[in-house]
């Protein structure tokens, strides 16, 4: 397994370009199953999760061609079964369920396994499919969906921890080819849901309200091929802003969408950093003045759970006591014990971390546990004393395109050691 060595004590300076959004690209690639015609998707990031999704589409019978960020897919004849050996590697495999049910009125996909960020049920996805008229069976580790016809209906997708992002996408993808109108209440408002709705609309779907809690879908008979460019990755963007906050003289992220970063920019400003933006860049200029923070993760437009670990890393070296409350995935604190190995002082109770900032962290061997936790460890290591050895970096390659090279281009000193 590859590992990363971060030589600490560097200052970052310069510009870094943000890639296409992983969490937009995954359901958009799945949505290409809805038509027999060719779709061309641009700005697909080079990530292992994307590779898994393209492998699944290939096994379902799609013709897939990929060249420098552009993926062409033709799903002329497709199968409806995605077996465990290919779907187990990525929870987002569940987003093929909606398009398979929508187009073929049948799907058999293995249930995703456990996830280190906590229990990740898909009951809301299944409730939505049932409401549209599908028979849902869970048997032998597989989810089996069958329908003779899908009928538009009213569905509330709000769960106990808020709306579901992939669940909203899945139900939209099943409903675009249903008879009649589907009203989704309690829909996720994330920009990735809007991006998927825009792609489906380009394919001929009739969708209104994406980006609000109420999405309305008028079913159509069939969809056609379309071209689409994926939105910039707001979590990669936020991660590089935190890198600038932790270790930057001045860092500018380019080709990003500042309006998707509202709560992250606000939190950084509240912590005392200076930020400015243009239409597609954001610059962070640390100015020596720092304030501890109280943040709570929430569905969009609230502070993203996918930025929680990176903020914990930042707050661990800022004077004062900060409190971070996780409401979306209450057990998503695997990074805390690793940050403590680097000298961070953090009390964890239930779904809350109380962080007592220290002057400096020190390098240590640490273990990446999930994607965002791994990013947090890289960030914490940048200003730390000595070398931090981060093991199991395959987690980071799932969602960050060449994070080591991008940080090195800003002045970091990171080595990747191949196993
Ligand atoms: N939930 C249910 N039932 C369901 C579905 C979700 O109770 O059927 C709960 C979850 O347990 C959680 C909350 O609802 O407490 C929100 O989960 P959601 O379904 O929104 O998560 P997701 O759609 O599976 C996506 C992102 C995650 C991101 C979350 C929240 C993708 C591929 N994944 O997951 O991204 O954390 O939304 O914003 O889009 C990451 O990129 O590191 C990542 C984990």
């Amino acid at each position: 397994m590859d590992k990363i060595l971060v030589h600490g004590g560097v200052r970052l300076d310069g510009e870094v370009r943000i890639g296409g959004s992983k969490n937009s690209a995954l359901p958009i690639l799945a949505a290409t199953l809805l038509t027999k015609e060719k779709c061309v998707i641009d700005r697909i990031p080079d990530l292992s999760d994307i590779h898994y999704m393209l492998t699944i589409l290939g096994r379902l019978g799609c013709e897939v061609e990929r060249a420098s960020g552009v993926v062409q897919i033709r799903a002329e004849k497709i199968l409806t079964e995605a077996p465990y050996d290919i779907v187990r590697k990525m929870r987002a495999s569940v987003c093929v369920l909606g398009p398979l049910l929508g187009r073929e009125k049948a799907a058999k996909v293995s249930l995703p396994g456990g996830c280190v960020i906590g229990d990740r049920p898909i009951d809301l996805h299944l409730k939505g499919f049932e409401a549209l008229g599908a028979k849902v069976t869970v048997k032998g580790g597989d989810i089996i969906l069958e329908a003779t016809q899908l009928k538009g209906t009213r569905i509330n997708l709000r769960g106990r921890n808020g709306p579901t992002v992939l669940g909203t996408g899945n139900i939209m993808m099943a409903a675009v080819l249903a008879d009649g109108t589907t009203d989704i209440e309690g829909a996720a408002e994330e920009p990735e849901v809007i991006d998927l709705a825009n792609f489906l609309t380009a394919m001929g779907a009739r969708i209104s309200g994406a980006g609000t809690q109420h999405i309305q879908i008028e079913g159509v008979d069939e969809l056609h091929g379309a071209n689409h460019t994926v939105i910039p990755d707001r979590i990669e963007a936020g991660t590089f802003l935190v890198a600038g906050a932790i270790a930057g003289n001045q860092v500018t992220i380019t080709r990003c969408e500042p309006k998707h970063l509202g709560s992250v920019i606000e939190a950084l400003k509240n912590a005392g950093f200076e930020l400015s933006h243009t239409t597609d860049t954001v610059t962070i200029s640390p100015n020596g003045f720092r304030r501890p923070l109280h943040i709570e993760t929430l569905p969009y437009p609230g502070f993203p759970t996918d930025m929680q670990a990176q903020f914990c890393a930042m707050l661990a070296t800022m004077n004062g006591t900060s409190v971070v409350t996780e409401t979306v995935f209450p057990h998503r604190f695997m990074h805390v014990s690793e940050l403590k190995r680097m000298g961070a002082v953090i009390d964890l109770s239930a779904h809350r971390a109380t962080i007592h900032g220290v002057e400096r962290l020190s390098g240590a061997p640490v273990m990446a546990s999930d994607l965002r936790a791994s990013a947090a460890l890289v960030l914490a290591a940048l200003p730390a004393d000595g070398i931090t050895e981060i093991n199991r970096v395959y987690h980071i390659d799932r969602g960050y395109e060449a994070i080591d090279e991008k940080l090195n281009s800003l002045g970091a000193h990171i080595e990747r050691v191949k196993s």
Side-chain angles (χ1 to χ4, degrees), residues 22-24 26-27 91-92 117 119-126 159-167 188 190 192 234-235 305-306 327-330 332 370-372 398:
K22 165 181 84 80
N23 290 349
S24 257
L26 290 170
R91 194 183 170 278
I117 69 176
D119 186 26
R120 296 186 67 181
I122 56 160
D123 56 307
L124 297 169
H125 302 229
L126 302 185
R160 67 177 189 284
N161 295 334
T164 163
V165 178
L166 290 180
E190 269 66 3
E192 294 76 15
R234 64 193 168 99
I235 306 302
T305 173
D306 292 343
T327 75
V328 180
F329 295 112
R332 193 178 198 176
D370 78 77
L371 171 56
R372 308 303 170 189
R398 289 187 41 215

Side-chain angles (χ1 to χ4, degrees), residues 134-209:
K135 179 174 169 234
V136 177
T137 317
V138 179
K139 198 173 156 197
D142 295 321
I143 305 157
I144 302 163
L145 306 180
E146 296 157 289
T148 40
Q149 187 195 16
L150 296 178
K151 275 191 97 123
T153 182
R154 187 172 285 271
I155 307 168
N156 193 323
L157 284 181
R158 185 177 296 281
R160 67 177 189 284
N161 295 334
T164 163
V165 178
L166 290 180
T168 303
N170 242 338
I171 303 310
M172 277 200 306
M173 290 189 279
V176 285
L177 293 177
D179 290 336
T181 303
T182 301
D183 281 292
I184 306 179
E185 304 283 357
E189 298 171 70
E190 269 66 3
E192 294 76 15
V193 173
I194 304 177
D195 205 23
L196 174 62
N198 286 342
F199 176 54
L200 292 169
T201 304
M203 295 171 83
R206 296 213 187 116
I207 302 176
S208 59

Side-chain angles (χ1 to χ4, degrees), residues 265-401:
I265 289 176
E266 190 188 327
L268 288 168
K269 283 186 173 166
N270 288 341
F273 298 100
E274 273 173 32
L275 288 104
S276 58
H277 66 88
T278 65
T279 48
D280 66 350
T281 70
V282 181
T283 299
I284 181 159
S285 322
N287 57 5
F289 173 70
R290 305 277 185 279
R291 266 190 302 257
L293 288 181
H294 281 222
I295 49 179
E296 181 176 60
T297 65
L298 286 169
Y300 191 85
F303 185 88
T305 173
D306 292 343
M307 285 301 301
Q308 182 258 105
Q310 302 88 316
F311 265 67
C312 285
M314 178 184 88
L315 297 170
T317 55
M318 274 170 46
N319 274 340
T321 298
S322 297
V323 179
V324 175
T325 306
E326 174 60 67
T327 75
V328 180
F329 295 112
H331 303 293
R332 193 178 198 176
F333 281 112
M334 301 290 284
H335 43 286
V336 165
S337 46
E338 302 301 308
L339 289 172
K340 282 178 159 180
R341 289 178 49 74
M342 300 175 71
V345 181
I346 305 176
D347 300 321
L348 204 52
S349 67
H351 58 296
R352 181 162 296 141
T354 304
I355 304 171
H356 308 280
V358 296
E359 195 66 31
R360 258 182 129 68
L361 297 179
S362 56
V366 288
M367 200 68 87
S369 55
D370 78 77
L371 171 56
R372 308 303 170 189
S374 322
L377 296 175
V378 174
L379 297 181
L382 292 171
D385 285 329
I387 299 175
T388 302
E389 178 183 315
I390 305 173
N391 290 285
R392 297 195 188 159
V393 294
Y394 57 85
H395 285 294
I396 211 163
D397 295 331
R398 289 187 41 215
Y400 290 93
E401 204 171 11

